[in-house]
Amino acid sequence: MAAAQQVAELLVAHGQPTPQQPHQTGDRTLFAGHWSGPAQGASRRFTVSMSLTDTSGLLRGTVEHPELPCSGEVVELLISNGALILSPTFTPESECIHNGTTRLTFLGPDRLRYEWFDPGSDRVDTGELTRVTGGSGGGAAECWDGSGSIGG
């Protein structure tokens, strides 16, 4: 539970509500699959491409931000109230800010809100991801091609 406590402290520091009931296994299927979409960082837009798989009762996967360039692995810290908190571990050659926290919030069968919290400031990168394949959604959607507007 030390990781869950760290996440809660980080979310409070960013003025965000904290999850109340970690590891509700019924929510896990909402997040499994491949997701992609635009996000807005401090000074630029970028693509989020994420694949999540339920591995022995824990969501694990990969994340990539091709324009930054930045990629790595993610692992579930907790799930609660329709939100999944992930810990990303980026590859050493990635041009990423390390030690941040990612929160995905379920918006519907094929949509997630994406938020990445910078551990050293009040910066929060935000976006919306669309299910490309997998999971329990209503079907496949096309990957975002890097053009168009963010959000809906």
Side-chain angles (χ1 to χ4, degrees), residues 9-41:
E9 289 173 7
L10 178 65
L11 295 176
V12 168
H14 285 277
Q16 303 293 320
T18 58
Q20 300 299 316
Q21 300 169 326
H23 296 290
Q24 294 177 353
T25 57
D27 295 341
R28 205 165 268 113
T29 59
L30 300 176
F31 298 98
H34 180 76
W35 302 85
S36 186
Q40 179 66 50

PDB file of all heavy atoms in Angstrom, residues 9-41:
ATOM      1  N   GLU A   9      -1.030  11.005  -2.160  1.00  0.00           N
ATOM      2  CA  GLU A   9      -0.352  12.252  -1.810  1.00  0.00           C
ATOM      3  C   GLU A   9      -0.095  13.105  -3.044  1.00  0.00           C
ATOM      4  O   GLU A   9      -0.256  14.321  -3.021  1.00  0.00           O
ATOM      5  CB  GLU A   9       0.950  11.946  -1.075  1.00  0.00           C
ATOM      6  CG  GLU A   9       0.727  11.405   0.320  1.00  0.00           C
ATOM      7  CD  GLU A   9       2.001  10.938   0.995  1.00  0.00           C
ATOM      8  OE1 GLU A   9       3.102  11.157   0.444  1.00  0.00           O
ATOM      9  OE2 GLU A   9       1.893  10.349   2.090  1.00  0.00           O
ATOM     10  N   LEU A  10       0.307  12.472  -4.146  1.00  0.00           N
ATOM     11  CA  LEU A  10       0.549  13.199  -5.389  1.00  0.00           C
ATOM     12  C   LEU A  10      -0.740  13.835  -5.902  1.00  0.00           C
ATOM     13  O   LEU A  10      -0.757  15.001  -6.292  1.00  0.00           O
ATOM     14  CB  LEU A  10       1.127  12.270  -6.456  1.00  0.00           C
ATOM     15  CG  LEU A  10       1.387  12.893  -7.819  1.00  0.00           C
ATOM     16  CD1 LEU A  10       2.477  13.950  -7.724  1.00  0.00           C
ATOM     17  CD2 LEU A  10       1.754  11.833  -8.827  1.00  0.00           C
ATOM     18  N   LEU A  11      -1.846  13.088  -5.888  1.00  0.00           N
ATOM     19  CA  LEU A  11      -3.117  13.614  -6.365  1.00  0.00           C
ATOM     20  C   LEU A  11      -3.603  14.767  -5.499  1.00  0.00           C
ATOM     21  O   LEU A  11      -4.099  15.766  -6.013  1.00  0.00           O
ATOM     22  CB  LEU A  11      -4.161  12.510  -6.444  1.00  0.00           C
ATOM     23  CG  LEU A  11      -3.875  11.415  -7.477  1.00  0.00           C
ATOM     24  CD1 LEU A  11      -4.919  10.326  -7.387  1.00  0.00           C
ATOM     25  CD2 LEU A  11      -3.799  11.976  -8.882  1.00  0.00           C
ATOM     26  N   VAL A  12      -3.450  14.654  -4.194  1.00  0.00           N
ATOM     27  CA  VAL A  12      -3.835  15.733  -3.287  1.00  0.00           C
ATOM     28  C   VAL A  12      -2.995  16.971  -3.582  1.00  0.00           C
ATOM     29  O   VAL A  12      -3.503  18.090  -3.637  1.00  0.00           O
ATOM     30  CB  VAL A  12      -3.700  15.295  -1.816  1.00  0.00           C
ATOM     31  CG1 VAL A  12      -3.804  16.494  -0.885  1.00  0.00           C
ATOM     32  CG2 VAL A  12      -4.770  14.272  -1.471  1.00  0.00           C
ATOM     33  N   ALA A  13      -1.695  16.785  -3.828  1.00  0.00           N
ATOM     34  CA  ALA A  13      -0.811  17.907  -4.138  1.00  0.00           C
ATOM     35  C   ALA A  13      -1.249  18.626  -5.406  1.00  0.00           C
ATOM     36  O   ALA A  13      -1.044  19.821  -5.562  1.00  0.00           O
ATOM     37  CB  ALA A  13       0.633  17.423  -4.265  1.00  0.00           C
ATOM     38  N   HIS A  14      -1.878  17.920  -6.320  1.00  0.00           N
ATOM     39  CA  HIS A  14      -2.364  18.501  -7.568  1.00  0.00           C
ATOM     40  C   HIS A  14      -3.827  18.922  -7.470  1.00  0.00           C
ATOM     41  O   HIS A  14      -4.441  19.249  -8.475  1.00  0.00           O
ATOM     42  CB  HIS A  14      -2.203  17.501  -8.721  1.00  0.00           C
ATOM     43  CG  HIS A  14      -0.797  17.363  -9.190  1.00  0.00           C
ATOM     44  ND1 HIS A  14      -0.235  18.228 -10.083  1.00  0.00           N
ATOM     45  CD2 HIS A  14       0.177  16.486  -8.866  1.00  0.00           C
ATOM     46  CE1 HIS A  14       1.016  17.883 -10.312  1.00  0.00           C
ATOM     47  NE2 HIS A  14       1.285  16.832  -9.578  1.00  0.00           N
ATOM     48  N   GLY A  15      -4.404  18.871  -6.278  1.00  0.00           N
ATOM     49  CA  GLY A  15      -5.786  19.273  -6.091  1.00  0.00           C
ATOM     50  C   GLY A  15      -6.790  18.308  -6.693  1.00  0.00           C
ATOM     51  O   GLY A  15      -7.895  18.694  -7.043  1.00  0.00           O
ATOM     52  N   GLN A  16      -6.424  17.054  -6.828  1.00  0.00           N
ATOM     53  CA  GLN A  16      -7.276  16.045  -7.450  1.00  0.00           C
ATOM     54  C   GLN A  16      -7.906  15.156  -6.382  1.00  0.00           C
ATOM     55  O   GLN A  16      -7.287  14.885  -5.356  1.00  0.00           O
ATOM     56  CB  GLN A  16      -6.455  15.166  -8.391  1.00  0.00           C
ATOM     57  CG  GLN A  16      -5.745  15.942  -9.474  1.00  0.00           C
ATOM     58  CD  GLN A  16      -6.720  16.562 -10.451  1.00  0.00           C
ATOM     59  OE1 GLN A  16      -7.713  15.966 -10.824  1.00  0.00           O
ATOM     60  NE2 GLN A  16      -6.434  17.786 -10.870  1.00  0.00           N
ATOM     61  N   PRO A  17      -9.124  14.659  -6.628  1.00  0.00           N
ATOM     62  CA  PRO A  17      -9.717  13.706  -5.685  1.00  0.00           C
ATOM     63  C   PRO A  17      -8.934  12.402  -5.698  1.00  0.00           C
ATOM     64  O   PRO A  17      -8.377  12.009  -6.720  1.00  0.00           O
ATOM     65  CB  PRO A  17     -11.135  13.491  -6.226  1.00  0.00           C
ATOM     66  CG  PRO A  17     -11.074  13.912  -7.649  1.00  0.00           C
ATOM     67  CD  PRO A  17      -9.981  14.939  -7.770  1.00  0.00           C
ATOM     68  N   THR A  18      -8.839  11.760  -4.565  1.00  0.00           N
ATOM     69  CA  THR A  18      -8.100  10.503  -4.470  1.00  0.00           C
ATOM     70  C   THR A  18      -9.045   9.315  -4.541  1.00  0.00           C
ATOM     71  O   THR A  18     -10.180   9.376  -4.070  1.00  0.00           O
ATOM     72  CB  THR A  18      -7.317  10.422  -3.147  1.00  0.00           C
ATOM     73  OG1 THR A  18      -8.227  10.542  -2.065  1.00  0.00           O
ATOM     74  CG2 THR A  18      -6.274  11.516  -3.061  1.00  0.00           C
ATOM     75  N   PRO A  19      -8.605   8.205  -5.156  1.00  0.00           N
ATOM     76  CA  PRO A  19      -9.421   6.989  -5.178  1.00  0.00           C
ATOM     77  C   PRO A  19      -9.630   6.462  -3.762  1.00  0.00           C
ATOM     78  O   PRO A  19      -8.725   6.511  -2.946  1.00  0.00           O
ATOM     79  CB  PRO A  19      -8.572   6.018  -6.003  1.00  0.00           C
ATOM     80  CG  PRO A  19      -7.664   6.899  -6.798  1.00  0.00           C
ATOM     81  CD  PRO A  19      -7.384   8.081  -5.906  1.00  0.00           C
ATOM     82  N   GLN A  20     -10.815   5.969  -3.490  1.00  0.00           N
ATOM     83  CA  GLN A  20     -11.154   5.513  -2.147  1.00  0.00           C
ATOM     84  C   GLN A  20     -11.027   4.009  -1.952  1.00  0.00           C
ATOM     85  O   GLN A  20     -10.790   3.565  -0.846  1.00  0.00           O
ATOM     86  CB  GLN A  20     -12.589   5.941  -1.805  1.00  0.00           C
ATOM     87  CG  GLN A  20     -12.785   7.438  -1.847  1.00  0.00           C
ATOM     88  CD  GLN A  20     -11.904   8.168  -0.865  1.00  0.00           C
ATOM     89  OE1 GLN A  20     -11.774   7.762   0.283  1.00  0.00           O
ATOM     90  NE2 GLN A  20     -11.264   9.233  -1.310  1.00  0.00           N
ATOM     91  N   GLN A  21     -11.209   3.212  -3.001  1.00  0.00           N
ATOM     92  CA  GLN A  21     -11.200   1.763  -2.851  1.00  0.00           C
ATOM     93  C   GLN A  21     -10.250   1.148  -3.870  1.00  0.00           C
ATOM     94  O   GLN A  21     -10.630   0.848  -4.983  1.00  0.00           O
ATOM     95  CB  GLN A  21     -12.606   1.199  -3.054  1.00  0.00           C
ATOM     96  CG  GLN A  21     -13.600   1.745  -2.060  1.00  0.00           C
ATOM     97  CD  GLN A  21     -15.010   1.368  -2.449  1.00  0.00           C
ATOM     98  OE1 GLN A  21     -15.354   1.281  -3.609  1.00  0.00           O
ATOM     99  NE2 GLN A  21     -15.829   1.150  -1.447  1.00  0.00           N
ATOM    100  N   PRO A  22      -8.983   0.948  -3.501  1.00  0.00           N
ATOM    101  CA  PRO A  22      -8.025   0.417  -4.456  1.00  0.00           C
ATOM    102  C   PRO A  22      -8.341  -1.002  -4.892  1.00  0.00           C
ATOM    103  O   PRO A  22      -8.928  -1.778  -4.154  1.00  0.00           O
ATOM    104  CB  PRO A  22      -6.698   0.484  -3.712  1.00  0.00           C
ATOM    105  CG  PRO A  22      -7.030   0.728  -2.301  1.00  0.00           C
ATOM    106  CD  PRO A  22      -8.413   1.267  -2.220  1.00  0.00           C
ATOM    107  N   HIS A  23      -7.938  -1.317  -6.100  1.00  0.00           N
ATOM    108  CA  HIS A  23      -7.989  -2.660  -6.663  1.00  0.00           C
ATOM    109  C   HIS A  23      -9.379  -3.277  -6.698  1.00  0.00           C
ATOM    110  O   HIS A  23      -9.597  -4.372  -6.230  1.00  0.00           O
ATOM    111  CB  HIS A  23      -6.995  -3.589  -5.950  1.00  0.00           C
ATOM    112  CG  HIS A  23      -5.597  -3.154  -6.145  1.00  0.00           C
ATOM    113  ND1 HIS A  23      -4.946  -3.243  -7.343  1.00  0.00           N
ATOM    114  CD2 HIS A  23      -4.725  -2.589  -5.295  1.00  0.00           C
ATOM    115  CE1 HIS A  23      -3.728  -2.767  -7.224  1.00  0.00           C
ATOM    116  NE2 HIS A  23      -3.568  -2.353  -5.997  1.00  0.00           N
ATOM    117  N   GLN A  24     -10.331  -2.565  -7.286  1.00  0.00           N
ATOM    118  CA  GLN A  24     -11.639  -3.149  -7.557  1.00  0.00           C
ATOM    119  C   GLN A  24     -11.492  -3.944  -8.848  1.00  0.00           C
ATOM    120  O   GLN A  24     -11.464  -3.385  -9.935  1.00  0.00           O
ATOM    121  CB  GLN A  24     -12.694  -2.056  -7.711  1.00  0.00           C
ATOM    122  CG  GLN A  24     -12.954  -1.289  -6.446  1.00  0.00           C
ATOM    123  CD  GLN A  24     -13.949  -0.174  -6.667  1.00  0.00           C
ATOM    124  OE1 GLN A  24     -14.349   0.122  -7.781  1.00  0.00           O
ATOM    125  NE2 GLN A  24     -14.352   0.456  -5.591  1.00  0.00           N
ATOM    126  N   THR A  25     -11.401  -5.259  -8.736  1.00  0.00           N
ATOM    127  CA  THR A  25     -11.071  -6.084  -9.895  1.00  0.00           C
ATOM    128  C   THR A  25     -12.109  -6.012 -11.001  1.00  0.00           C
ATOM    129  O   THR A  25     -11.791  -6.216 -12.148  1.00  0.00           O
ATOM    130  CB  THR A  25     -10.862  -7.551  -9.477  1.00  0.00           C
ATOM    131  OG1 THR A  25     -12.053  -8.005  -8.826  1.00  0.00           O
ATOM    132  CG2 THR A  25      -9.690  -7.687  -8.543  1.00  0.00           C
ATOM    133  N   GLY A  26     -13.350  -5.727 -10.694  1.00  0.00           N
ATOM    134  CA  GLY A  26     -14.377  -5.646 -11.717  1.00  0.00           C
ATOM    135  C   GLY A  26     -14.133  -4.541 -12.725  1.00  0.00           C
ATOM    136  O   GLY A  26     -14.603  -4.599 -13.851  1.00  0.00           O
ATOM    137  N   ASP A  27     -13.397  -3.511 -12.353  1.00  0.00           N
ATOM    138  CA  ASP A  27     -13.118  -2.390 -13.239  1.00  0.00           C
ATOM    139  C   ASP A  27     -12.002  -2.680 -14.236  1.00  0.00           C
ATOM    140  O   ASP A  27     -11.854  -1.958 -15.211  1.00  0.00           O
ATOM    141  CB  ASP A  27     -12.718  -1.157 -12.430  1.00  0.00           C
ATOM    142  CG  ASP A  27     -13.845  -0.636 -11.558  1.00  0.00           C
ATOM    143  OD1 ASP A  27     -15.014  -0.960 -11.803  1.00  0.00           O
ATOM    144  OD2 ASP A  27     -13.530   0.109 -10.627  1.00  0.00           O
ATOM    145  N   ARG A  28     -11.217  -3.688 -14.020  1.00  0.00           N
ATOM    146  CA  ARG A  28     -10.011  -3.951 -14.820  1.00  0.00           C
ATOM    147  C   ARG A  28     -10.329  -4.138 -16.301  1.00  0.00           C
ATOM    148  O   ARG A  28      -9.599  -3.648 -17.159  1.00  0.00           O
ATOM    149  CB  ARG A  28      -9.303  -5.184 -14.251  1.00  0.00           C
ATOM    150  CG  ARG A  28      -7.845  -5.211 -14.551  1.00  0.00           C
ATOM    151  CD  ARG A  28      -7.111  -6.230 -13.674  1.00  0.00           C
ATOM    152  NE  ARG A  28      -6.644  -5.537 -12.484  1.00  0.00           N
ATOM    153  CZ  ARG A  28      -7.087  -5.761 -11.251  1.00  0.00           C
ATOM    154  NH1 ARG A  28      -7.991  -6.664 -11.024  1.00  0.00           N
ATOM    155  NH2 ARG A  28      -6.622  -5.076 -10.245  1.00  0.00           N
ATOM    156  N   THR A  29     -11.417  -4.815 -16.633  1.00  0.00           N
ATOM    157  CA  THR A  29     -11.750  -5.080 -18.034  1.00  0.00           C
ATOM    158  C   THR A  29     -12.095  -3.801 -18.800  1.00  0.00           C
ATOM    159  O   THR A  29     -12.000  -3.778 -20.021  1.00  0.00           O
ATOM    160  CB  THR A  29     -12.919  -6.079 -18.156  1.00  0.00           C
ATOM    161  OG1 THR A  29     -14.059  -5.536 -17.486  1.00  0.00           O
ATOM    162  CG2 THR A  29     -12.558  -7.425 -17.574  1.00  0.00           C
ATOM    163  N   LEU A  30     -12.494  -2.747 -18.095  1.00  0.00           N
ATOM    164  CA  LEU A  30     -12.807  -1.487 -18.753  1.00  0.00           C
ATOM    165  C   LEU A  30     -11.582  -0.878 -19.421  1.00  0.00           C
ATOM    166  O   LEU A  30     -11.700  -0.138 -20.397  1.00  0.00           O
ATOM    167  CB  LEU A  30     -13.363  -0.471 -17.749  1.00  0.00           C
ATOM    168  CG  LEU A  30     -14.637  -0.836 -17.004  1.00  0.00           C
ATOM    169  CD1 LEU A  30     -14.961   0.247 -15.986  1.00  0.00           C
ATOM    170  CD2 LEU A  30     -15.781  -1.036 -17.971  1.00  0.00           C
ATOM    171  N   PHE A  31     -10.405  -1.182 -18.898  1.00  0.00           N
ATOM    172  CA  PHE A  31      -9.172  -0.532 -19.336  1.00  0.00           C
ATOM    173  C   PHE A  31      -8.309  -1.396 -20.248  1.00  0.00           C
ATOM    174  O   PHE A  31      -7.406  -0.879 -20.905  1.00  0.00           O
ATOM    175  CB  PHE A  31      -8.355  -0.107 -18.118  1.00  0.00           C
ATOM    176  CG  PHE A  31      -9.065   0.889 -17.250  1.00  0.00           C
ATOM    177  CD1 PHE A  31      -9.745   0.476 -16.117  1.00  0.00           C
ATOM    178  CD2 PHE A  31      -9.070   2.232 -17.564  1.00  0.00           C
ATOM    179  CE1 PHE A  31     -10.412   1.392 -15.316  1.00  0.00           C
ATOM    180  CE2 PHE A  31      -9.731   3.152 -16.777  1.00  0.00           C
ATOM    181  CZ  PHE A  31     -10.409   2.733 -15.649  1.00  0.00           C
ATOM    182  N   ALA A  32      -8.538  -2.709 -20.289  1.00  0.00           N
ATOM    183  CA  ALA A  32      -7.706  -3.596 -21.109  1.00  0.00           C
ATOM    184  C   ALA A  32      -7.906  -3.284 -22.586  1.00  0.00           C
ATOM    185  O   ALA A  32      -9.010  -2.987 -23.026  1.00  0.00           O
ATOM    186  CB  ALA A  32      -8.041  -5.055 -20.818  1.00  0.00           C
ATOM    187  N   GLY A  33      -6.829  -3.328 -23.348  1.00  0.00           N
ATOM    188  CA  GLY A  33      -6.885  -3.102 -24.781  1.00  0.00           C
ATOM    189  C   GLY A  33      -5.841  -2.110 -25.231  1.00  0.00           C
ATOM    190  O   GLY A  33      -4.950  -1.719 -24.476  1.00  0.00           O
ATOM    191  N   HIS A  34      -5.958  -1.684 -26.488  1.00  0.00           N
ATOM    192  CA  HIS A  34      -5.031  -0.698 -27.047  1.00  0.00           C
ATOM    193  C   HIS A  34      -5.770   0.625 -27.199  1.00  0.00           C
ATOM    194  O   HIS A  34      -6.881   0.662 -27.731  1.00  0.00           O
ATOM    195  CB  HIS A  34      -4.491  -1.160 -28.408  1.00  0.00           C
ATOM    196  CG  HIS A  34      -3.550  -0.170 -29.002  1.00  0.00           C
ATOM    197  ND1 HIS A  34      -2.255  -0.019 -28.562  1.00  0.00           N
ATOM    198  CD2 HIS A  34      -3.730   0.755 -29.974  1.00  0.00           C
ATOM    199  CE1 HIS A  34      -1.679   0.957 -29.249  1.00  0.00           C
ATOM    200  NE2 HIS A  34      -2.552   1.437 -30.110  1.00  0.00           N
ATOM    201  N   TRP A  35      -5.139   1.701 -26.721  1.00  0.00           N
ATOM    202  CA  TRP A  35      -5.734   3.030 -26.700  1.00  0.00           C
ATOM    203  C   TRP A  35      -4.799   4.024 -27.383  1.00  0.00           C
ATOM    204  O   TRP A  35      -3.585   3.897 -27.278  1.00  0.00           O
ATOM    205  CB  TRP A  35      -5.958   3.482 -25.258  1.00  0.00           C
ATOM    206  CG  TRP A  35      -6.830   2.563 -24.472  1.00  0.00           C
ATOM    207  CD1 TRP A  35      -6.461   1.429 -23.802  1.00  0.00           C
ATOM    208  CD2 TRP A  35      -8.231   2.677 -24.298  1.00  0.00           C
ATOM    209  NE1 TRP A  35      -7.551   0.852 -23.214  1.00  0.00           N
ATOM    210  CE2 TRP A  35      -8.644   1.597 -23.503  1.00  0.00           C
ATOM    211  CE3 TRP A  35      -9.177   3.610 -24.736  1.00  0.00           C
ATOM    212  CZ2 TRP A  35      -9.979   1.411 -23.133  1.00  0.00           C
ATOM    213  CZ3 TRP A  35     -10.495   3.436 -24.368  1.00  0.00           C
ATOM    214  CH2 TRP A  35     -10.889   2.344 -23.573  1.00  0.00           C
ATOM    215  N   SER A  36      -5.363   5.025 -28.032  1.00  0.00           N
ATOM    216  CA  SER A  36      -4.542   6.044 -28.672  1.00  0.00           C
ATOM    217  C   SER A  36      -5.315   7.350 -28.741  1.00  0.00           C
ATOM    218  O   SER A  36      -6.540   7.349 -28.843  1.00  0.00           O
ATOM    219  CB  SER A  36      -4.158   5.587 -30.084  1.00  0.00           C
ATOM    220  OG  SER A  36      -3.259   6.502 -30.676  1.00  0.00           O
ATOM    221  N   GLY A  37      -4.581   8.456 -28.658  1.00  0.00           N
ATOM    222  CA  GLY A  37      -5.224   9.760 -28.791  1.00  0.00           C
ATOM    223  C   GLY A  37      -4.274  10.894 -28.518  1.00  0.00           C
ATOM    224  O   GLY A  37      -3.127  10.693 -28.133  1.00  0.00           O
ATOM    225  N   PRO A  38      -4.763  12.114 -28.702  1.00  0.00           N
ATOM    226  CA  PRO A  38      -3.943  13.305 -28.506  1.00  0.00           C
ATOM    227  C   PRO A  38      -3.919  13.736 -27.047  1.00  0.00           C
ATOM    228  O   PRO A  38      -4.861  13.524 -26.301  1.00  0.00           O
ATOM    229  CB  PRO A  38      -4.665  14.355 -29.354  1.00  0.00           C
ATOM    230  CG  PRO A  38      -6.106  13.945 -29.267  1.00  0.00           C
ATOM    231  CD  PRO A  38      -6.092  12.435 -29.234  1.00  0.00           C
ATOM    232  N   ALA A  39      -2.809  14.356 -26.660  1.00  0.00           N
ATOM    233  CA  ALA A  39      -2.684  14.939 -25.327  1.00  0.00           C
ATOM    234  C   ALA A  39      -1.984  16.282 -25.447  1.00  0.00           C
ATOM    235  O   ALA A  39      -1.279  16.546 -26.425  1.00  0.00           O
ATOM    236  CB  ALA A  39      -1.913  14.017 -24.395  1.00  0.00           C
ATOM    237  N   GLN A  40      -2.177  17.128 -24.453  1.00  0.00           N
ATOM    238  CA  GLN A  40      -1.539  18.438 -24.413  1.00  0.00           C
ATOM    239  C   GLN A  40      -0.609  18.492 -23.218  1.00  0.00           C
ATOM    240  O   GLN A  40      -1.022  18.256 -22.090  1.00  0.00           O
ATOM    241  CB  GLN A  40      -2.595  19.542 -24.293  1.00  0.00           C
ATOM    242  CG  GLN A  40      -2.021  20.944 -24.210  1.00  0.00           C
ATOM    243  CD  GLN A  40      -1.310  21.358 -25.483  1.00  0.00           C
ATOM    244  OE1 GLN A  40      -1.862  21.232 -26.571  1.00  0.00           O
ATOM    245  NE2 GLN A  40      -0.093  21.847 -25.353  1.00  0.00           N
ATOM    246  N   GLY A  41       0.663  18.768 -23.488  1.00  0.00           N
ATOM    247  CA  GLY A  41       1.645  18.945 -22.431  1.00  0.00           C
ATOM    248  C   GLY A  41       1.808  20.407 -22.095  1.00  0.00           C
ATOM    249  O   GLY A  41       1.012  21.252 -22.521  1.00  0.00           O
TER     250      GLY A  41
END
